[in-house]
Amino acid sequence: MNCRIGSGINLCTPFHFINYPKTPQYMKEFVIKVNSIPAGVQVAIIVYDGFLEGMQDILLPAFQSLGSTRFQEAQHFQKYCMIGWKLYAAVESLGAINLSRV
């Protein structure tokens, strides 16, 4: 499995690692993927190089379904990391993330 972190939203589930570049089409694909994840599945998200402007309304429900409670705040940071469980809780970090440790 290729786990190379790229600009945009990086989503890791138990069997997949997918990078969603910062375009409206890829952000919509991210939402479709999140909606297809069954309840209770653990996910990790790393946002590198910030969120795509204007996509907050589309992305908010997807992040909340993964347990995010800080998405509104996270949009203002260039780096964001979350480990969560679909329809449960998440642990989130905003700001500086040392990607060499991920």
Side-chain angles (χ1 to χ4, degrees):
M1 174 170 33
N2 179 7
C3 293
R4 187 172 199 161
I5 296 169
S7 179
I9 300 175
N10 299 274
L11 173 67
C12 185
T13 65
F15 302 106
H16 296 96
F17 179 87
I18 307 167
N19 171 261
Y20 296 92
K22 289 171 41 175
T23 68
Q25 179 60 35
Y26 280 115
M27 295 299 102
K28 290 174 185 173
E29 287 180 25
F30 167 79
V31 170
I32 291 168
K33 179 63 177 177
V34 167
N35 290 340
S36 75
I37 296 172
V41 171
Q42 187 175 25
V43 299
I45 293 179
I46 297 172
V47 175
Y48 184 67
D49 196 23
F51 289 92
L52 181 64
E53 292 291 324
M55 297 299 293
Q56 292 80 1
D57 292 340
I58 292 170
L59 295 174
L60 178 61
F63 275 82
Q64 288 176 330
S65 77
L66 297 173
S68 174
T69 59
R70 299 180 70 190
F71 180 76
Q72 298 288 17
E73 183 182 354
Q75 301 171 63
H76 305 290
F77 289 84
Q78 288 297 308
K79 297 178 177 100
Y80 167 81
C81 183
M82 178 185 88
I83 297 175
W85 293 263
K86 179 73 180 268
L87 300 180
Y88 294 100
V91 176
E92 300 168 274
S93 178
L94 312 171
I97 300 170
N98 185 346
L99 292 176
S100 65
R101 295 184 180 181
V102 177

